[in-house]
Amino acid sequence: MTFGRAGKVLFVNLTKKTFTCEKTEKYASFLGGRGINQWLLFNFIDPQIHPLDPESVIILGSGPLVGTLVPSANRLAVDFKNVMNFGIGSGNSGGFFATEMKLAGYDNILISGKAENPIYLLIEDDQIYFKDAKGIWGKNTWETDNTIRKKESDHDLKILSIGIAGENIVKFACLINDKGRAVAYGGSGAVFGCKNLKAIAVKGTKSISVYNPEKLIEKVQKYNEEILLKSNIINLHRKGGTLLPYLTQGENRPHAVKNMSEGFWSNENLEKFSRDKVDKYLIRRHACFNCPLYCSSILKLDGTRFETFEANTFRSYASNLYVTSLKAALHCHRLANSYGLDDDQLSAVIAWAIECYENGIITEKETDGLELRWGNYKNILLLIDKIANRIGFGDLLANGVFEASKIIGRGSEKYGVLVKKVSLMEAAMRSHKGWALGIVTSAKGGGHLRGATAQEFQAIPQRMSKKLFNIGDISSPVEYHNKAELVVWQERYKAIIDIMGVCALPTMWMDINLFQPEDISDFYYLVTGDTISTNELFKIGEKIQNLEKIFNLLHADFKREDDLPPKKLVEIAVKKGPYKGQRLDLKEWNKMLEKYYILHKWSKQTGIPTKKGLCELGLSALVNILEKNDIQLTD
């Protein structure tokens, strides 16, 4: 009997309308979730294949702890070739889809090919149906979900879909499951769209067996009572989602303001977005599968329901665009969610356009007559509509900042806040040095859900950082010392979290007492019956980091210069607040980056993995692949 896993990997070819299965056991060395996804991605897509080519693949993964009693083990990992930069594309979402996928019998699903006409996949246990989506094409994400459930006469279907943005191949279109859980960063929605795949609907009637159910129940109860539910950060999330803890410090925490040109937003503005004001639009609170945080919500605005307004949403549509009206920001989020647009990238490209407009680089001649100003939410809403439908100026912005700035030229490039050709829309990058390093070095082209060190926000005493991470003092966020070590630790730890299918919020990322490596090892044993040490777990996390690094080398030619911060974060300091004067110092950054490479056993000059490092990880086969592609490795 297989414990903890569904036991099969499903391979679907949309062109031929065929499917086959392999045993998950074949890929067991990568455990599951993001781990198996990345191994499949590396082996099933050639560097010459364009991310929107029919032969490109997109892979869904559900980790070994998903669907069990392990708290918050519900995450869906989605991996593909990044539409915006040709490197790693990788997203992760909560909800119920990943659990249902396992109940249908599949740990991972690899999709290739392109359907001749729009379709959706219906997966009911061992049966896979290629269903006509002609009447659904053109509908938004909520309409798609409702229409498929009605069409199949099954309200319990779990659905992963694209909106109009994905259909129109907007390069930062995302997937949406359970009507509001986004798989963002990299253009996953565009990959579905180019394959004529509107949605995947899944229903499973099987069960997930665990190795030791009695001990697992005992461990979960003890863990919840003694650790999880005593956490201050968890209780804040339970009271008000991610928005409440994010805004609790007010103007004393850094924010992303006006295309990340500023890092301070006043309490006067922040108070307009307090949780109690957001809750005036609340219909109900809800949670992802088996999650005690209960941090999500359904809101209603002008008669229309939509999914939650949280920390990321606040940054995207409030501070970064300087929209000081809650209702206006809610309108922006609702529209983006229905279209299936990545909030971060959408905010970044609109903010870039506004900054270019305000500096006279673009005019109303280019913007279809729209006056682009900070806080002008009516025109921002019009722009969102134009982007999703690729109309006029929106057609240009639908390509993202990197491509749009190359087309516009005239100095517009300097207003892009880019890493690896992907826009950043992040707070605290000038002040929190480890946080910034983790974002910039992220293999998927920025983003804070890889190596970004939220531990820097926790004021961890030195004795605890030494005990937990074997790292010295990390208590001051503005210091560069010991931050490379912390980022490398976090990268490997987060890889483990993604492999297992656990949400990042109730982990050591937010509270050092939560999901410590020993807890993960224990849960994994009780669920699967396989013993794995914490050292072995971190070794697998290290393998994933190297695999993604090599993918980026082969597919996108990313090297050391792609691990440098955007000029705006170096040249413009924080103007007000407790972090006034903070910016990134390139000399100190390069010292930190060099240490980061050394810890990874990569060349400190180039950032390329070394032969010795890869061989020690059991990845010697990758040495030959790199050398065949004329990438010279040091010993």
Side-chain angles (χ1 to χ4, degrees):
M1 179 182 288
T2 300
F3 295 112
R5 295 182 176 87
K8 291 185 293 185
V9 177
L10 175 66
F11 295 82
V12 178
N13 187 305
L14 299 177
T15 305
K16 299 177 181 178
K17 292 188 176 181
T18 59
F19 62 92
T20 58
C21 289
E22 291 184 354
K23 291 184 177 180
T24 307
E25 184 180 357
K26 179 178 178 180
Y27 307 100
S29 63
F30 287 92
L31 300 185
R34 176 179 152 204
I36 291 178
N37 279 8
Q38 286 296 335
W39 182 248
L40 289 170
L41 184 68
F42 189 89
N43 286 280
F44 275 83
I45 185 167
D46 187 271
Q48 305 309 314
I49 296 294
H50 191 279
L52 298 177
D53 188 279
E55 295 309 307
S56 189
V57 301
I58 187 165
I59 310 156
L60 317 180
S62 184
L65 302 187
V66 169
T68 71
L69 292 177
V70 177
S72 76
N74 54 51
R75 303 296 289 189
L76 175 71
V78 181
D79 295 272
F80 51 97
K81 188 165 182 175
N82 196 309
V83 178
M84 301 185 77
N85 67 12
F86 293 12
I88 285 291
S90 189
N92 193 287
S93 71
F96 294 79
F97 189 92
T99 298
E100 200 72 22
M101 197 172 96
K102 284 182 72 172
L103 292 173
Y106 310 105
D107 294 300
N108 301 75
I109 300 175
L110 183 148
I111 300 165
S112 63
K114 177 179 181 178
E116 186 176 355
N117 298 300
I119 66 166
Y120 66 91
L121 287 178
L122 176 63
I123 301 174
E124 294 179 326
D125 293 337
D126 299 328
Q127 302 300 312
I128 315 295
Y129 303 96
F130 298 83
K131 309 278 283 192
D132 182 14
K134 184 170 59 176
I136 305 172
W137 202 257
K139 292 186 180 295
N140 68 36
T141 54
W142 276 61
E143 291 169 341
T144 297
D145 197 292
N146 291 336
T147 302
I148 291 176
R149 291 183 184 204
K150 184 177 180 180
K151 186 175 180 179
E152 299 299 336
S153 301
D154 192 342
H155 182 73
D156 292 329
L157 285 171
K158 302 301 181 284
I159 298 170
L160 179 71
S161 71
I162 59 172
I164 294 169
E167 295 175 9
N168 290 325
I169 323 296
V170 174
K171 293 191 175 180
F172 45 89
C174 63
L175 299 173
I176 300 284
N177 67 274
D178 296 314
K179 296 184 175 179
R181 317 309 298 172
V183 180
Y185 242 87
S188 57
V191 177
F192 262 42
C194 79
K195 293 182 176 299
N196 276 331
L197 181 60
K198 180 64 172 174
I200 301 176
V202 61
K203 176 69 176 290
T205 62
K206 301 180 182 183
S207 60
I208 301 168
S209 299
V210 299
Y211 174 69
N212 195 328
E214 293 81 10
K215 289 290 185 183
L216 178 61
I217 291 171
E218 183 181 317
K219 166 80 176 177
V220 168
Q221 287 178 332
K222 185 175 181 180
Y223 179 80
N224 282 346
E225 293 170 5
E226 296 183 6
I227 301 172
L228 190 66
L229 299 181
K230 290 186 177 180
S231 166
N232 289 331
I233 191 70
I234 294 302
N235 284 314
L236 282 172
H237 281 101
R238 286 168 65 84
K239 290 176 182 177
T242 61
L243 185 65
L244 181 59
Y246 185 82
L247 295 185
T248 295
Q249 294 182 51
E251 62 186 23
N252 287 325
R253 70 151 293 144
H255 295 277
V257 182
K258 291 186 176 180
N259 196 27
M260 295 182 66
S261 295
E262 300 176 16
F264 175 86
W265 224 33
S266 69
N267 282 334
E268 182 183 357
N269 286 328
L270 294 168
E271 286 166 3
K272 297 172 184 176
F273 296 86
S274 61
R275 188 75 239 185
D276 63 308
K277 292 182 176 64
V278 173
D279 284 347
K280 290 179 180 179
Y281 299 90
L282 180 69
I283 296 296
R284 63 178 172 85
R285 299 284 302 282
H286 69 109
C288 299
F289 174 83
N290 191 33
C291 185
L293 269 69
Y294 217 71
C295 68
S296 297
S297 58
I298 299 295
L299 306 178
K300 189 175 182 179
L301 177 66
D302 295 344
T304 303
R305 296 188 179 200
F306 59 103
E307 176 76 22
T308 203
F309 186 86
E310 300 295 351
N312 246 54
T313 331
F314 163 80
R315 280 199 308 275
S316 296
Y317 303 114
S319 65
N320 198 43
L321 297 178
Y322 221 89
V323 172
T324 57
S325 161
L326 171 59
K327 189 172 183 179
L330 289 173
H331 272 296
C332 292
H333 172 59
R334 180 185 66 175
L335 189 60
N337 189 268
S338 69
Y339 279 143
L341 287 164
D342 175 350
D343 285 342
D344 283 18
Q345 297 303 307
L346 178 63
S347 172
V349 78
I350 292 174
W352 168 82
I354 292 172
E355 193 165 13
C356 286
Y357 183 93
E358 294 215 326
N359 283 279
I361 291 172
I362 59 176
T363 67
E364 292 177 18
K365 181 180 178 181
E366 287 93 0
T367 66
D368 307 326
L370 294 180
E371 182 183 21
L372 302 184
R373 299 291 184 188
W374 300 116
N376 186 342
Y377 74 91
K378 291 182 179 178
N379 283 349
I380 289 170
L381 284 168
L382 290 173
L383 209 50
I384 293 172
D385 184 76
K386 285 177 174 289
I387 289 169
N389 289 283
R390 278 190 172 269
I391 296 171
F393 186 53
D395 186 45
L396 173 71
L397 299 187
N399 297 311
V401 171
F402 179 79
E403 285 191 39
S405 66
K406 294 297 181 186
I407 294 168
I408 291 289
R410 304 195 294 270
S412 64
E413 296 93 339
K414 76 176 184 178
Y415 297 110
V417 189
L418 298 165
V419 168
K420 300 177 181 68
K421 302 179 182 178
V422 178
S423 292
L424 298 183
M425 199 289 297
E426 301 283 352
M429 288 189 67
R430 292 174 173 86
S431 54
H432 291 56
K433 312 308 184 191
W435 176 260
L437 180 67
I439 290 171
V440 172
T441 56
S442 171
K444 64 179 189 174
H448 60 260
L449 287 171
R450 278 293 199 269
T453 53
Q455 293 88 350
E456 279 186 304
F457 294 84
Q458 299 177 39
I460 299 168
Q462 183 172 344
R463 59 179 179 79
M464 290 303 297
S465 60
K466 190 69 178 176
K467 176 183 176 182
L468 294 171
F469 313 119
N470 196 28
I471 299 172
D473 189 12
I474 58 171
S475 60
S476 172
V478 301
E479 296 295 332
Y480 292 86
H481 188 57
N482 290 329
K483 299 306 173 59
E485 291 87 340
L486 185 59
V487 169
V488 170
W489 186 95
Q490 174 60 26
E491 284 177 335
R492 294 170 184 173
Y493 174 78
K494 182 54 164 55
I496 298 164
I497 293 299
D498 289 344
I499 284 169
M500 294 297 168
V502 173
C503 177
L505 291 179
T507 70
M508 291 181 75
W509 189 56
M510 284 287 182
D511 182 334
I512 57 175
N513 297 299
L514 303 177
F515 273 105
Q516 293 184 350
E518 293 78 10
D519 293 316
I520 300 170
S521 180
D522 289 346
F523 279 128
Y524 184 75
Y525 170 71
L526 294 172
V527 168
T528 68
D530 297 329
T531 302
I532 189 165
S533 68
T534 56
N535 285 338
E536 289 172 317
L537 283 172
F538 272 78
K539 189 65 68 175
I540 293 171
E542 186 179 358
K543 286 172 71 173
I544 297 302
Q545 283 300 120
N546 277 268
L547 199 61
E548 293 180 347
K549 181 72 172 181
I550 293 171
F551 186 98
N552 279 349
L553 278 168
L554 294 173
H555 290 254
D557 195 33
F558 290 145
K559 294 176 183 172
R560 183 182 180 117
E561 57 267 27
D562 298 293
D563 287 334
L564 298 178
K567 287 185 177 180
K568 185 177 278 190
L569 305 182
V570 175
E571 296 173 353
I572 303 174
V574 180
K575 297 180 178 66
K576 295 180 181 179
Y579 295 106
K580 182 179 179 180
Q582 284 297 317
R583 59 182 180 84
L584 296 178
D585 181 287
L586 270 185
K587 183 178 179 181
E588 293 299 325
W589 180 276
N590 278 301
K591 288 180 186 177
M592 187 169 61
L593 184 62
E594 184 175 297
K595 182 64 174 178
Y596 169 85
Y597 287 155
I598 291 171
L599 291 165
H600 270 304
K601 300 172 187 173
W602 299 343
S603 165
K604 66 181 182 180
Q605 286 81 24
T606 65
I608 296 174
T610 61
K611 290 181 182 179
K612 182 180 179 181
L614 292 174
C615 290
E616 286 178 357
L617 288 170
L619 298 174
S620 55
L622 302 188
V623 173
N624 296 329
I625 292 173
L626 287 167
E627 291 180 339
K628 284 180 181 178
N629 284 272
D630 296 323
I631 296 176
Q632 300 301 312
L633 304 182
T634 59
D635 293 329

